[in-house]
Every structure is written in structure tokens, then in C-alpha cells.
């Protein structure tokens, strides 16, 4: 029997991961089954289970692949590298412009999948814990939260900003507002069969520009 190489295994896994991603775009994450993936790949049942023991293991690899493929970490680091050169208000605008670009690009992709995983977590937290537990490193939003908190604390300590609220309150507000914007944009652009009269306003660039203005007010930037 010929030796199976790591490259061969990875090629097969990539095909399975791509099939899972394609299916998650067509339907909701919670409705995708192993049989769906078998049909999409054309592999036999034994062929699929040779590489993955269940669908949640496939989802774990899919999420890890997407995190590497579409990451905001380097772009955020690049913006924050100029934190002492640019006015704080401009840094805020650059961060939210970057997030708007990412959200517009991935609204029907990664953003949709993340949203559906959040919904799945509310209904089946143990399953989502199982999917996420073997994924190393931080996701985009976790990294964003930590880095921006560090940034605001540094700027406050240096006297470059005089926030109207505490850093903890500011981060809590940003997180809640961003999640609300993300959910509103996804629901109104991905799932609505009849166009809402406000759908044109439920777009990442419009909503996040408004959030940036609010954040700048809260950090003392007029």
C-alpha cells in the first residue's frame, strides 16, 4: 500500500473544509450535516470519516482556516503603530473604517458564520465549546478588544485623551454597539426576503462611521 503523505492528507482536508464553508454560506451552520458534506465533496462516508471523526471537528478546522485567511490583526497593529503620531480621533476613524471594510467584504461569509455560531452557542453551548476548544490563538474580535483597551489606557495615561467615561465602560459600550451593528447588518442583508425600507442604512460603513463619531465624543475628541 502506498504511503499516504501529509500533503495528500492536507489536500483532502482542504477539500472537506471548503465544502463545509460553501454549505455554511448556502444554509445556516446548525443545519449542515455530515451527509451534506459527503454530497458536496463526492467522497464516500468512509472517505470523510478517515480524516474527521465528526462535523464539529470539520467546523473547528474551517474556523481556524478562515481566521488565518481573513485576519484584521496585522491591519489593526499597523494602525496602532501610529498611535503617537496621529490624533486619537483619527486613529478611531481608521480602526472603524478598517472594520467596516472587513464587515462589508465578509458580511455574507465569515460574519454570517460567526453570527450563526453565536446563535448556536445560545441553544447548544456545549457543542460550540467543543468546536472552539481546539482552536489556538485569539479570534479577530477578542484581539481587537485587548489591543484597543491597551491603546485607550496608554492614551489616557499619557494625557492625550480625557475620556468622559472609564476605559471599561468605553470598551463595554463599543463591544455592545458593534455587536448590535453586526447583527443588524447581517440580519437585514443575509436573511430578509423582503427588503426593509431602512436596509440601505443598515450597511457597515454607515453604521460604523456613526459609532466612530460616538466613540470620539466619549474619549473627549470633539
Amino acid at each position: 500500500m502506498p504511503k499516504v503523505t501529509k500533503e495528500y492528507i492536507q489536500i483532502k482536508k482542504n477539500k472537506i473544509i471548503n465544502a463545509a464553508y460553501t454549505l455554511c454560506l448556502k444554509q445556516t451552520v446548525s443545519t449542515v450535516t455530515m451527509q451534506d458534506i459527503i454530497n458536496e465533496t463526492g467522497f464516500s462516508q468512509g472517505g470523510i470519516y478517515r480524516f474527521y471523526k465528526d462535523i464539529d471537528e470539520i467546523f473547528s478546522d474551517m474556523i481556524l482556516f478562515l481566521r488565518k485567511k481573513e485576519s484584521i490583526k496585522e491591519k489593526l497593529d499597523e494602525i496602532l503603530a501610529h498611535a503617537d503620531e496621529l490624533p486619537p480621533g483619527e486613529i478611531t476613524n481608521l480602526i472603524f473604517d478598517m472594520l467596516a471594510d472587513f464587515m462589508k467584504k465578509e458580511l455574507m461569509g465569515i460574519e454570517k458564520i460567526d453570527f450563526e455560531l453565536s446563535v448556536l452557542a445560545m441553544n447548544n453551548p456545549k457543542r460550540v465549546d467543543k468546536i472552539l476548544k481546539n482552536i489556538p490563538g485569539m479570534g479577530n474580535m477578542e484581539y481587537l478588544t485587548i489591543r484597543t483597551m491597551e491603546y485607550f489606557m496608554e492614551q489616557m495615561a499619557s494625557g492625550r485623551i480625557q475620556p468622559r467615561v472609564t476605559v471599561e465602560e468605553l470598551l463595554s459600550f463599543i463591544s455592545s454597539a458593534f455587536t448590535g451593528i453586526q447583527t443588524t447588518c447581517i440580519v437585514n442583508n443575509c436573511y430578509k426576503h423582503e427588503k426593509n425600507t431602512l436596509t440601505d442604512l443598515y450597511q457597515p460603513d454607515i453604521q460604523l462611521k456613526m459609532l466612530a463619531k460616538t466613540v470620539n465624543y466619549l474619549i473627549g475628541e470633539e
Side-chain angles (χ1 to χ4, degrees):
M1 180 180 294
K3 184 179 179 181
V4 176
T5 65
K6 290 183 179 180
E7 182 181 10
Y8 172 85
I9 293 172
Q10 194 58 55
I11 289 172
K12 294 296 184 181
K13 281 191 168 185
N14 287 345
K15 186 169 183 179
I16 295 168
I17 291 168
N18 287 330
Y21 178 65
T22 298
L23 289 163
C24 286
L25 299 185
K26 293 178 182 178
Q27 57 197 82
T28 59
V29 171
S30 62
T31 63
V32 177
T33 66
M34 282 295 270
Q35 188 59 53
D36 291 331
I37 294 177
I38 289 169
N39 295 341
E40 184 73 20
T41 58
F43 290 174
S44 66
Q45 185 171 344
I48 292 285
Y49 284 103
R50 180 181 181 187
F51 302 104
Y52 291 101
K53 64 183 179 182
D54 59 30
I55 194 168
D56 290 340
E57 195 171 63
I58 296 174
F59 284 162
S60 293
D61 269 5
M62 179 187 73
I63 294 168
L64 180 59
F65 170 77
L66 293 176
R67 281 187 179 181
K68 291 179 179 178
K69 177 176 176 288
E70 299 292 344
S71 174
I72 65 169
K73 296 177 184 178
E74 290 183 3
K75 294 176 182 177
L76 178 62
D77 288 344
E78 185 178 340
I79 292 170
L80 294 181
H82 300 284
D84 295 328
E85 304 165 17
L86 298 174
E90 190 170 340
I91 293 292
T92 300
N93 291 336
L94 288 171
I95 290 173
F96 283 101
D97 284 346
M98 180 266 295
L99 287 173
D101 289 341
F102 177 80
M103 192 183 291
K104 282 191 296 183
K105 181 182 176 184
E106 292 296 332
L107 195 63
M108 306 291 282
I110 295 172
E111 293 287 306
K112 173 183 177 292
I113 291 172
D114 280 347
F115 170 72
E116 290 172 357
L117 283 171
S118 298
V119 174
L120 183 61
M122 288 187 280
N123 296 309
N124 194 341
K126 289 184 178 179
R127 184 181 175 195
V128 174
D129 285 344
K130 177 186 171 188
I131 292 171
L132 298 178
K133 72 175 182 179
N134 293 320
I135 301 176
M138 291 184 283
N140 281 327
M141 291 305 105
E142 185 180 359
Y143 186 78
L144 176 71
T145 300
I146 291 173
R147 291 288 281 120
T148 51
M149 175 173 275
E150 292 172 348
Y151 162 71
F152 285 130
M153 292 182 72
E154 290 166 1
Q155 294 295 298
M156 187 170 63
S158 67
R160 295 193 77 213
I161 62 171
Q162 291 80 42
R164 292 175 163 89
V165 296
T166 67
V167 172
E168 291 77 13
E169 288 171 334
L170 179 62
L171 265 294
S172 175
F173 167 75
I174 293 173
S175 176
S176 299
F178 180 82
T179 300
I181 289 170
Q182 185 183 44
T183 301
T184 298
C185 289
I186 290 170
V187 169
N188 282 276
N189 288 278
C190 298
Y191 304 109
K192 293 288 186 181
H193 297 295
E194 294 183 8
K195 187 175 181 180
N196 188 310
T197 54
L198 295 178
T199 296
D200 289 342
L201 295 177
Y202 294 146
Q203 302 303 322
D205 50 348
I206 295 174
Q207 296 292 311
L208 290 176
K209 191 175 294 292
M210 293 171 63
L211 180 56
K213 289 181 179 180
T214 305
V215 171
N216 278 333
Y217 172 79
L218 292 174
I219 65 173
E221 292 286 296
E222 297 295 342

